[in-house]
Amino acid sequence: MTRAPSFMDRKDLLALAAVAALLLIVFPLALDGFRLNLVGKYLTYAFVAVGLVMCWGYGGILSLGQGLFFGLGGYGMAMYLKLEASSVENTKIQSTPGIPDFMDWNQLTELPWFWHPFHSFPLTLILIVLVPAAFALLIGSAMFKRRVSGVYFAIITQALAAIATILIIGQQGYTGGVNGITDLRTLMGWDIRTDSAKFILYFVNAILLMGVICCALFVRSSKLGRILVAMREKEDRVRFSGYSVANFQIFVFCLGAVFAAIGGAMFTLQVGFMSPSLVGIVPSIEMVIFTAVGGRLSIFGAVYGTLLVNFAKTSLSESFPELWLLGLGGLFIAVVLFFPNGLAGIWRDYVQPSIDRVFRLRSKDPTDPGQNVAKQAASMPAE
């Protein structure tokens, strides 16, 4: 019998198996290519939601600017894909061949220095992780070392997301402006626009999400995870015990930033573009809603919450295009008022006890022949 890893108990292993079965078997078999690609887009937001569970649920740090890190990862991948699509052969009709089209439209004559590292795919992957982590380290050090937390930290992160959006839109010649980076075609020569490529990218996306979930479970079950929970409940007591609270807060904030950046990079691959509309205040708050609906204390609940809210968003926007935002807001308010622990709380408080009760009754069923045989065997005298 296969034993669960030390950082997972039996319930975690079953929950991971259920998520894997849903993402890798049920959805691919039940959905057509268009809907499956939509689910792939939803899963990119789940990376952010898992990171928010670690920051907000376990660390007590509410960030309203995760769209910033999602955008950093997404723009990093988009820059590599755009450079690959902007070869001299593909851009020979431009006044300056070999640079992205939006740079040529804005009369740039050479590639900016910060674009050059994104000619290399391995270096792009490294930067997708390192750049958001460095930004989070800088922000976290500036805030947590000065004991800025709670609502003040949330407002500052929200402001940073707004600033990032304004900068991206204002620097059109370097970032593509309000339209973002579009017309992304190939990844190392592989056409990512085809249906077969979208299908493969969905599975890459789902497997990466499984890896992020396992990483979050490992952190949660470690001594670090217990310290994070203690900080959330009694920050001063942890500080008086000799721990550097700021360093732990910085770490978990950087971890959430890296998870969000991976999601952003996969969004660019799955959807085929990246724009400032995915970086600002509104998407950042939506990401918090995904986490709240799923349950801010549940890693798996964050995934289900992301899927549920986005399915509802798509359905409502298709049927009631003028009212879907009200529906999304109503869903969030209902969850906060009536189910503060989200879907995970509903499962824990109502569904799981019923399942346990059924299995307990079944194990005590006097008509169970297996139980009768066991009783007879126990009553037989030893020879």
Side-chain angles (χ1 to χ4, degrees), residues 41 45 66-79 82 102 115 161-162 164-172 174-184 263-269 271-284 287:
K41 183 178 80 169
Y45 300 138
Q66 292 302 97
L68 168 63
F69 306 115
F70 186 83
L72 285 172
Y75 269 94
M77 181 60 73
M79 289 164 74
K82 190 62 176 178
F102 58 82
W115 275 73
T165 305
I166 294 168
L167 284 174
I168 292 170
I169 294 173
Q171 300 298 316
Q172 181 171 324
Y174 300 101
T175 63
V178 70
N179 295 320
I181 301 178
T182 59
D183 193 26
L184 308 177
M266 289 308 304
F267 178 92
T268 300
L269 286 171
V271 181
F273 76 94
M274 177 52 67
S275 78
S277 63
L278 298 158
V279 178
I281 293 174
V282 173
S284 296
M287 293 164 186

Side-chain angles (χ1 to χ4, degrees), residues 37-373:
N37 192 44
L38 273 181
V39 174
K41 183 178 80 169
Y42 303 160
L43 292 182
T44 63
Y45 300 138
F47 287 86
V48 190
V50 172
L52 277 169
V53 168
M54 301 306 297
C55 289
W56 181 28
Y58 289 100
I61 304 166
L62 175 58
S63 170
L64 295 179
Q66 292 302 97
L68 168 63
F69 306 115
F70 186 83
L72 285 172
Y75 269 94
M77 181 60 73
M79 289 164 74
Y80 170 79
L81 297 175
K82 190 62 176 178
L83 287 176
E84 186 169 324
S86 302
S87 63
V88 174
E89 180 66 24
N90 291 337
T91 58
K92 58 186 178 183
I93 63 172
Q94 295 179 181
S95 57
T96 306
I99 64 174
D101 48 14
F102 58 82
M103 293 185 183
D104 189 62
W105 301 336
N106 286 273
Q107 301 180 351
L108 269 68
T109 57
E110 61 179 359
L111 195 69
W113 64 269
F114 58 87
W115 275 73
H116 284 285
F118 294 94
H119 279 293
S120 168
F121 185 61
L123 185 55
T124 297
L125 294 180
I126 294 171
L127 290 174
I128 284 171
V129 174
L130 288 185
V131 172
F135 266 84
L137 178 63
L138 181 64
I139 296 167
S141 298
M143 297 295 105
F144 299 130
K145 293 292 186 180
R146 291 169 174 80
R147 300 190 183 182
V148 177
S149 59
V151 66
Y152 302 104
F153 180 79
I155 292 172
I156 290 171
T157 53
Q158 189 177 59
L160 290 172
I163 292 169
T165 305
I166 294 168
L167 284 174
I168 292 170
I169 294 173
Q171 300 298 316
Q172 181 171 324
Y174 300 101
T175 63
V178 70
N179 295 320
I181 301 178
T182 59
D183 193 26
L184 308 177
R185 305 172 186 175
T186 60
L187 173 66
M188 301 181 71
W190 176 49
D191 193 342
I192 61 173
R193 298 169 296 178
T194 64
D195 291 340
S196 60
K198 299 293 184 185
F199 187 73
I200 293 171
L201 285 171
Y202 169 83
F203 282 97
V204 173
N205 200 0
I207 291 170
L208 275 176
L209 181 59
M210 295 294 106
V212 164
I213 289 172
C214 290
C215 179
L217 289 172
F218 176 77
V219 172
R220 186 198 67 181
S221 64
S222 65
K223 182 180 179 181
L224 171 60
R226 294 190 290 273
I227 292 174
L228 289 176
V229 174
M231 282 166 33
R232 182 192 69 202
E233 299 297 332
K234 296 289 183 181
E235 182 178 319
D236 289 336
R237 183 171 295 181
V238 174
R239 185 177 287 110
F240 294 152
S241 298
Y243 291 100
S244 175
V245 170
N247 288 340
F248 289 108
Q249 290 173 324
I250 292 169
F251 171 80
V252 75
F253 185 54
C254 290
L255 183 68
V258 170
F259 286 175
I262 295 171
M266 289 308 304
F267 178 92
T268 300
L269 286 171
Q270 191 79 49
V271 181
F273 76 94
M274 177 52 67
S275 78
S277 63
L278 298 158
V279 178
I281 293 174
V282 173
S284 296
I285 292 176
E286 285 184 350
M287 293 164 186
V288 173
I289 292 174
F290 303 156
T291 308
V293 171
R296 67 185 181 95
L297 296 175
S298 172
I299 293 169
F300 297 103
V303 177
Y304 290 116
T306 303
L307 292 173
L308 175 65
V309 173
N310 280 283
F311 274 127
K313 179 179 175 180
T314 300
S315 301
L316 289 171
S317 61
E318 290 175 350
S319 304
F320 308 100
E322 297 179 356
L323 300 175
W324 70 269
L325 272 175
L326 295 175
L328 185 63
L331 176 64
F332 179 62
I333 292 171
V335 168
V336 171
L337 288 178
F338 302 108
F339 304 105
N341 292 318
L343 295 175
I346 295 173
W347 174 271
R348 186 189 65 240
D349 296 337
Y350 300 101
V351 180
Q352 189 67 52
S354 300
I355 294 175
D356 293 342
R357 197 177 305 114
V358 168
F359 279 103
R360 198 179 303 118
L361 290 173
R362 188 172 296 174
S363 66
K364 295 179 180 180
D365 187 356
T367 62
D368 184 357
Q371 197 173 55
N372 292 334
V373 170

